[in-house]
Structure formats: structure tokens, C-alpha cells
Coordinates of all heavy atoms in Angstrom, one line a residue:
V1 N -6.1 69.6 -159.2 CA -6.2 70.4 -160.5 C -7.0 69.6 -161.5 O -8.0 69.8 -162.1 CB -5.0 70.9 -161.0 CG1 -5.2 71.6 -162.3 CG2 -4.3 71.9 -160.1
I2 N -6.6 68.3 -161.7 CA -7.1 67.4 -162.8 C -8.0 66.3 -162.1 O -8.7 65.6 -162.9 CB -6.1 66.9 -163.7 CG1 -5.1 65.9 -163.0 CG2 -5.3 68.0 -164.4 CD1 -4.1 65.3 -163.9
G3 N -7.9 66.1 -160.9 CA -8.6 65.1 -160.2 C -8.0 63.7 -160.4 O -6.9 63.5 -161.0
R4 N -8.9 62.8 -159.8 CA -8.3 61.3 -159.8 C -8.8 60.5 -160.8 O -8.5 59.3 -161.1 CB -8.7 60.6 -158.4 CG -8.3 61.4 -157.2 CD -6.8 61.5 -157.0 NE -6.2 60.1 -156.7 CZ -5.9 59.8 -155.6 NH1 -6.4 60.4 -154.5 NH2 -5.3 58.6 -155.3
G5 N -9.5 61.2 -161.7 CA -10.3 60.5 -162.9 C -11.5 59.8 -162.7 O -11.8 59.4 -161.5
L6 N -12.3 59.7 -163.7 CA -13.6 59.0 -163.6 C -13.3 57.5 -163.3 O -12.4 56.8 -163.6 CB -14.5 59.0 -164.9 CG -14.8 60.4 -165.4 CD1 -15.4 60.3 -166.7 CD2 -15.7 61.0 -164.4
G7 N -14.3 56.9 -162.3 CA -14.2 55.6 -161.9 C -13.4 55.4 -160.6 O -13.3 54.4 -160.0
Y8 N -12.6 56.5 -160.2 CA -11.9 56.4 -158.9 C -12.9 56.2 -157.8 O -13.9 56.6 -157.7 CB -11.2 57.8 -158.7 CG -10.6 57.7 -157.3 CD1 -9.2 57.1 -157.2 CD2 -11.0 58.4 -156.2 CE1 -8.6 57.1 -155.8 CE2 -10.4 58.4 -154.9 CZ -9.2 57.7 -154.8 OH -8.5 57.8 -153.5
A9 N -12.4 55.4 -156.9 CA -13.1 54.9 -155.6 C -12.3 54.9 -154.4 O -11.0 54.7 -154.5 CB -13.8 53.5 -155.7
F10 N -12.9 55.3 -153.3 CA -12.1 55.4 -152.1 C -12.8 54.4 -151.1 O -13.9 54.0 -151.2 CB -12.0 56.7 -151.5 CG -13.4 57.5 -151.3 CD1 -14.1 57.3 -150.2 CD2 -14.0 58.1 -152.3 CE1 -15.2 58.0 -149.9 CE2 -15.2 58.7 -152.2 CZ -15.9 58.7 -151.0
V11 N -12.1 54.1 -150.0 CA -12.4 53.0 -149.0 C -13.2 53.7 -147.9 O -12.7 54.7 -147.3 CB -11.2 52.2 -148.5 CG1 -11.8 51.1 -147.5 CG2 -10.7 51.5 -149.7
V12 N -14.5 53.1 -147.7 CA -15.3 53.7 -146.5 C -15.6 52.5 -145.6 O -15.6 51.2 -146.0 CB -16.6 54.3 -146.9 CG1 -16.1 55.6 -147.8 CG2 -17.3 53.5 -147.7
R13 N -15.9 52.8 -144.4 CA -16.4 51.6 -143.3 C -17.9 51.7 -143.2 O -18.4 52.9 -142.9 CB -15.5 51.8 -142.1 CG -15.9 50.7 -141.1 CD -15.1 51.0 -139.8 NE -13.7 50.8 -140.0 CZ -13.1 49.6 -140.1 NH1 -13.6 48.5 -139.9 NH2 -11.7 49.7 -140.4
E14 N -18.6 50.8 -143.5 CA -20.1 50.7 -143.3 C -20.3 50.9 -141.9 O -19.9 50.3 -141.0 CB -20.7 49.4 -143.9 CG -20.5 49.3 -145.3 CD -21.1 48.0 -145.9 OE1 -21.5 47.2 -145.0 OE2 -21.2 48.0 -147.2
P15 N -21.4 51.9 -141.5 CA -21.6 52.2 -140.2 C -22.2 51.0 -139.3 O -22.1 50.9 -138.0 CB -22.6 53.3 -140.2 CG -23.2 53.3 -141.5 CD -22.2 52.6 -142.5
I16 N -23.0 50.2 -140.0 CA -23.7 49.1 -139.3 C -22.9 47.9 -139.2 O -22.7 47.3 -138.2 CB -25.1 48.9 -140.1 CG1 -26.0 50.2 -139.8 CG2 -25.8 47.7 -139.3 CD1 -27.3 50.0 -140.6
T17 N -22.5 47.3 -140.4 CA -21.7 46.2 -140.3 C -20.1 46.3 -140.0 O -19.5 45.4 -139.8 CB -21.7 45.6 -141.8 OG1 -21.1 46.3 -142.8 CG2 -23.3 45.2 -142.2
N18 N -19.7 47.6 -140.1 CA -18.3 47.8 -139.8 C -17.3 47.3 -140.8 O -16.2 47.1 -140.6 CB -17.9 47.5 -138.4 CG -16.8 48.3 -137.8 OD1 -16.7 49.4 -138.1 ND2 -15.8 47.6 -137.1
R19 N -17.8 46.8 -142.0 CA -17.0 46.3 -143.0 C -16.5 47.5 -143.9 O -17.1 48.5 -144.1 CB -17.8 45.3 -143.9 CG -18.1 43.9 -143.0 CD -18.8 43.1 -144.0 NE -20.1 43.7 -144.6 CZ -20.8 43.1 -145.3 NH1 -20.6 41.7 -145.7 NH2 -21.9 43.7 -146.0
L20 N -15.3 47.2 -144.4 CA -14.6 48.1 -145.5 C -15.2 47.8 -146.7 O -15.3 46.6 -147.2 CB -13.1 48.0 -145.3 CG -12.5 48.5 -144.1 CD1 -10.9 48.2 -144.1 CD2 -12.8 49.9 -143.7
R21 N -15.5 48.8 -147.6 CA -15.8 48.7 -149.0 C -15.4 49.8 -149.9 O -15.2 51.0 -149.3 CB -17.4 48.4 -149.1 CG -18.1 49.6 -148.7 CD -19.6 49.4 -148.9 NE -20.4 50.5 -148.5 CZ -20.8 51.5 -149.1 NH1 -20.2 51.7 -150.3 NH2 -21.5 52.6 -148.7
E22 N -15.3 49.6 -151.2 CA -15.0 50.8 -152.0 C -16.2 51.6 -152.5 O -17.3 50.9 -152.6 CB -14.4 50.2 -153.3 CG -12.9 49.9 -153.0 CD -12.2 49.6 -154.4 OE1 -12.9 49.3 -155.4 OE2 -10.9 49.7 -154.5
Q23 N -16.2 52.9 -152.6 CA -17.2 53.6 -152.9 C -16.9 54.6 -154.0 O -16.0 55.5 -153.8 CB -17.9 54.4 -151.7 CG -18.9 55.2 -152.0 CD -19.5 55.9 -150.6 OE1 -19.9 55.1 -149.7 NE2 -19.6 57.2 -150.5
W24 N -17.6 54.6 -155.1 CA -17.1 55.5 -156.2 C -17.9 56.8 -156.1 O -17.5 57.8 -156.9 CB -17.5 54.9 -157.6 CG -19.1 54.6 -157.8 CD1 -19.8 53.6 -157.5 CD2 -19.9 55.6 -158.5 NE1 -21.0 53.7 -157.8 CE2 -21.2 54.8 -158.5 CE3 -19.7 56.9 -158.9 CZ2 -22.4 55.6 -158.8 CZ3 -21.0 57.6 -159.3 CH2 -22.1 56.9 -159.5
F25 N -19.1 57.0 -155.3 CA -19.7 58.2 -155.3 C -19.6 59.0 -154.0 O -19.1 58.4 -153.1 CB -21.2 57.8 -155.4 CG -21.7 56.9 -154.3 CD1 -22.2 57.4 -153.1 CD2 -21.8 55.5 -154.6 CE1 -22.6 56.5 -152.2 CE2 -22.2 54.6 -153.8 CZ -22.7 55.1 -152.5
V26 N -19.9 60.3 -154.0 CA -19.9 61.2 -152.9 C -21.3 61.8 -152.8 O -21.8 62.3 -154.0 CB -18.8 62.1 -153.0 CG1 -18.8 63.1 -151.8 CG2 -17.5 61.4 -153.3
H27 N -21.9 61.9 -151.7 CA -23.2 62.5 -151.5 C -23.0 64.1 -151.6 O -23.6 64.8 -150.8 CB -23.9 62.0 -150.2 CG -24.5 60.7 -150.4 ND1 -23.7 59.5 -150.1 CD2 -25.7 60.3 -150.8 CE1 -24.6 58.5 -150.3 NE2 -25.7 58.9 -150.7
N28 N -22.3 64.6 -152.5 CA -22.3 65.9 -152.8 C -21.6 66.0 -154.2 O -20.4 65.7 -154.3 CB -21.4 66.7 -151.8 CG -21.3 68.3 -152.1 OD1 -20.8 68.7 -153.1 ND2 -21.8 69.1 -151.2
Y29 N -22.4 66.4 -155.1 CA -21.9 66.4 -156.6 C -20.7 67.3 -156.9 O -19.8 66.9 -157.7 CB -23.0 66.7 -157.6 CG -22.6 66.6 -159.0 CD1 -22.5 65.3 -159.6 CD2 -22.6 67.6 -159.9 CE1 -22.1 65.1 -160.9 CE2 -22.3 67.5 -161.2 CZ -22.1 66.1 -161.8 OH -21.8 65.9 -163.0
Y30 N -20.7 68.4 -156.2 CA -19.6 69.3 -156.4 C -18.2 68.9 -155.8 O -17.2 68.9 -156.5 CB -19.8 70.7 -155.7 CG -21.2 71.2 -156.1 CD1 -22.3 71.2 -155.2 CD2 -21.5 71.7 -157.4 CE1 -23.6 71.6 -155.6 CE2 -22.7 72.1 -157.9 CZ -23.7 72.2 -156.9 OH -25.0 72.5 -157.3
L31 N -18.3 68.3 -154.7 CA -17.1 67.5 -154.2 C -16.8 66.3 -154.9 O -15.6 66.0 -155.2 CB -17.5 67.0 -152.7 CG -16.3 66.3 -152.0 CD1 -15.0 67.3 -152.0 CD2 -16.9 66.1 -150.5
L32 N -17.8 65.6 -155.5 CA -17.5 64.6 -156.4 C -16.8 65.0 -157.7 O -15.8 64.3 -158.1 CB -18.8 63.9 -156.8 CG -18.7 62.6 -157.9 CD1 -18.1 61.4 -157.2 CD2 -20.1 62.3 -158.4
L33 N -17.2 66.1 -158.3 CA -16.6 66.7 -159.5 C -15.1 67.0 -159.1 O -14.2 66.8 -159.9 CB -17.3 67.9 -160.0 CG -18.5 67.6 -160.9 CD1 -19.1 69.0 -161.4 CD2 -18.2 66.8 -162.1
W34 N -14.9 67.6 -158.0 CA -13.4 68.1 -157.6 C -12.7 66.8 -157.5 O -11.4 66.7 -157.9 CB -13.5 68.8 -156.4 CG -12.2 69.3 -155.9 CD1 -11.1 69.6 -156.7 CD2 -11.7 69.3 -154.5 NE1 -10.0 70.1 -155.9 CE2 -10.4 69.9 -154.6 CE3 -12.3 69.1 -153.3 CZ2 -9.7 70.2 -153.4 CZ3 -11.6 69.4 -152.2 CH2 -10.2 69.9 -152.3

């Protein structure tokens, strides 16, 4: 309903290096807003 707040980041695994990193963006603005 209210979201996780601006600045929230989730952990993803880079496909080439296989390293974990935080990512604040989503390649879909509507999903990002939600």
C-alpha cells in the first residue's frame, strides 16, 4: 500500500561476475513506483 520508501534497494546477483550487489532501480517504472 505505502511501499518500501524512496531509496530502498534490493540485492541482485550480477549475471557475468556472479557477485551480489544492491540495486535501487527497476527496469519498469510502474513496478518501481509500486
Side-chain angles (χ1 to χ4, degrees):
V1 179
I2 63 173
R4 307 297 294 269
L6 294 180
Y8 174 80
F10 54 94
V11 177
V12 297
R13 186 178 296 276
E14 294 183 346
I16 299 177
T17 63
N18 206 37
R19 292 182 302 180
L20 296 176
R21 64 177 176 85
E22 285 192 339
Q23 179 174 305
W24 65 267
F25 57 86
V26 183
H27 283 88
N28 182 300
Y29 186 68
Y30 310 108
L31 182 53
L32 177 68
L33 279 183
W34 182 37

